[in-house]
Amino acid sequence: GYRRGELSALRRKHLAMISPAPGMHLLEIGFARGELLRACAAAGARVTGLDYSSAACAIARTGGAARIVCGDCQSLPFANAVFDCVFAGDVIEHQSQEGGVRLLAEMRRVLRPGGILLVHTTPNRWFRRMIWPWLRHVAARMDPAAVAGMDAQFAVMDRVHLYEYSPAALNTAARQAGFARAMRRVWVDADLLRGGGHRLTRELARRAPVRLAGIVGGHPPLAWLLGNDLYLRCKR
């Protein structure tokens, strides 16, 4: 899909949240292969991407649709108040707890008044620590391969994630970064199984009990425990 210029289901969701439009000045932090940058540029936005990886920067530059900067997300090499929207997907969990606050504070600094900050992170610490140890035994009876895949994914996360967030922890980080309560919102995606399209849960999501659980659990307060995709939206 990537080689054909297609966005994953998760990236399409992020694109809709950003709502790029002509004249918008957008910064994406941690853009990986740059497919979201290209989609935003195609919608007419003025796009800048920052990534710590020189390899990611080299890949993204081949698209030619955005200004690419190799740099540190905790010390953004941009002036104050220059972007209308700043997005960081799957970046904050790779920072320490203090580093995550610095990241959010830097995102706030480079936002124009009225600008929007968007953050996506996974996994939900509440789900992983409190729900998954019990749920995996139930799920293993229905789809052992899916459970093995989840365990392997969590093992990778243990190696590369420095601090994982619960909804409450993400809200606290935004407050510490300077966003007033009225200007910040944290939520957990109600689509617990990502529409049944995720590679690890595709087969499991077809089971009737799992579909029912996804419908029931996708609403607060259960979604705060069962959902694994956390979002933060703040206004400058």
Side-chain angles (χ1 to χ4, degrees):
Y2 164 73
R3 295 184 182 279
R4 297 189 298 272
E6 299 175 1
L7 294 177
S8 67
L10 185 63
R11 287 299 198 182
R12 289 196 300 272
K13 186 171 293 187
H14 294 165
L15 182 65
M17 290 179 182
I18 294 170
S19 299
M24 173 189 283
H25 194 183
L26 166 71
L27 170 64
E28 183 183 5
I29 298 171
F31 53 76
R33 297 177 300 187
E35 60 265 45
L36 189 60
L37 287 175
R38 288 191 291 276
C40 290
R46 186 156 56 104
V47 182
T48 299
L50 178 136
D51 203 292
Y52 188 75
S53 167
S54 57
C57 291
I59 293 171
R61 285 193 183 100
T62 61
R67 175 192 176 199
I68 301 300
V69 178
C70 193
D72 182 358
C73 67
Q74 294 183 30
S75 182
L76 297 176
F78 308 111
N80 296 345
V82 292
F83 296 103
D84 300 301
C85 179
V86 182
F87 172 72
D90 303 308
V91 173
I92 194 169
E93 67 272 16
H94 295 279
Q95 318 302 311
S96 67
Q97 185 176 7
E98 297 79 8
V101 174
R102 285 196 296 271
L103 165 62
L104 295 177
E106 277 291 274
M107 293 172 74
R108 181 180 185 273
R109 178 182 65 79
V110 301
L111 274 176
R112 291 173 177 163
I116 298 299
L117 172 154
L118 287 168
V119 167
H120 169 261
T121 183
T122 187
N124 177 355
R125 192 171 71 208
W126 286 346
F127 169 80
R128 184 175 180 191
R129 304 303 180 192
M130 294 189 289
I131 303 300
W132 178 244
W134 169 82
L135 185 62
R136 73 179 302 282
H137 296 293
V138 178
R141 299 175 183 175
M142 292 185 285
D143 192 338
V147 171
M150 289 284 287
D151 285 341
Q153 184 69 25
F154 283 142
V156 171
M157 290 176 177
D158 284 337
R159 293 196 298 270
V160 300
H161 290 181
L162 297 184
Y163 186 79
E164 294 177 345
Y165 289 82
S166 66
L170 191 56
N171 184 60
T172 296
R175 175 180 57 79
Q176 293 174 338
F179 289 101
R181 182 175 182 179
M183 295 299 181
R184 65 182 192 265
R185 178 193 171 210
V186 173
W187 74 96
V188 180
D189 196 332
D191 183 4
L192 305 184
L193 296 171
R194 294 189 181 179
H198 192 273
R199 60 184 178 83
L200 295 178
T201 57
R202 187 177 297 115
E203 295 301 321
L204 192 62
R206 295 174 181 174
R207 306 295 182 96
V210 176
R211 290 201 306 271
L212 178 60
I215 294 171
V216 175
H219 300 280
L222 286 178
W224 294 84
L225 293 173
L226 298 178
N228 224 13
D229 286 302
L230 276 64
Y231 288 93
L232 168 68
R233 184 184 189 275
C234 298
K235 188 173 182 180
R236 179 75 162 89

